[in-house]
Amino acid sequence: MISRSRPVSGPSSPWDGEFARYFGERAHSLRATAYLLCGDWHRAEDLTQAALLKLYLAWPRLSRHDSLDAYARKIVLRTFLAENRRSRWKRERLTDAPPDVPTTDAETEHDMLVRQALAVLAPRQRAVLVLRYFEDLSVDETAAALGCSTGTVKSQAARGLATLRNRLGPHFVAVAVPGGR
């Protein structure tokens, strides 16, 4: 997907318009995926911006623009996983009193419960569940996005769903996760 030629740089690169169109069409969707991964809109915005910056820097070397969505999603996912590896030891300390966070009208209690349950999963399990059930990727597509085997995707999905069932109850997960898979 990426060629080895050097990018053309400058204040106004020839691919700026093409990237700006892609950004306008897909930034919201990538941010929503990032939010499902991390559970925080501010952090999702940071992940999306970092991923789109990486995509912009790689843009002139991309030889196939027909699979940009999968490539961009992979960048968001890898940025999320890398950030979790790096910041595991530098993370803020949690307290027993959560901060007051206003909810939007569109946000339901059901959605909040699912996101809270997702937050307790290991980053890899959470990534698998988000890609499989919220992004509706197949096992093969999820494995390709994560750079792992299909068996790993299946086992991580099974473990993640088991954790969700323990947190939410088995009747809840069948409704909360599209298809109850």
Side-chain angles (χ1 to χ4, degrees), residues 55-75:
L55 181 64
Y56 178 78
L57 294 174
W59 194 269
R61 297 185 315 264
L62 298 176
S63 59
R64 291 183 37 217
H65 286 211
D66 58 333
S67 58
L68 278 175
D69 290 342
Y71 186 63
R73 188 173 38 248
K74 184 182 280 191
I75 294 172

Side-chain angles (χ1 to χ4, degrees), residues 7-85:
V8 177
S9 60
S12 180
S13 302
W15 63 86
D16 279 353
E18 189 177 343
F19 179 81
R21 273 189 301 283
Y22 181 80
F23 178 92
E25 294 169 0
R26 302 302 298 156
H28 181 72
S29 174
L30 291 172
R31 184 172 173 244
T33 299
Y35 176 72
L36 288 170
L37 289 168
C38 69
D40 177 315
W41 282 114
H42 297 290
R43 189 169 166 217
E45 185 69 33
D46 292 344
L47 285 171
T48 305
Q49 287 179 10
L52 286 169
L53 174 61
K54 291 174 185 177
L55 181 64
Y56 178 78
L57 294 174
W59 194 269
R61 297 185 315 264
L62 298 176
S63 59
R64 291 183 37 217
H65 286 211
D66 58 333
S67 58
L68 278 175
D69 290 342
Y71 186 63
R73 188 173 38 248
K74 184 182 280 191
I75 294 172
V76 168
L77 179 65
R78 289 188 175 174
T79 303
F80 165 73
L81 292 172
E83 182 182 280
N84 278 331
R85 279 192 296 272

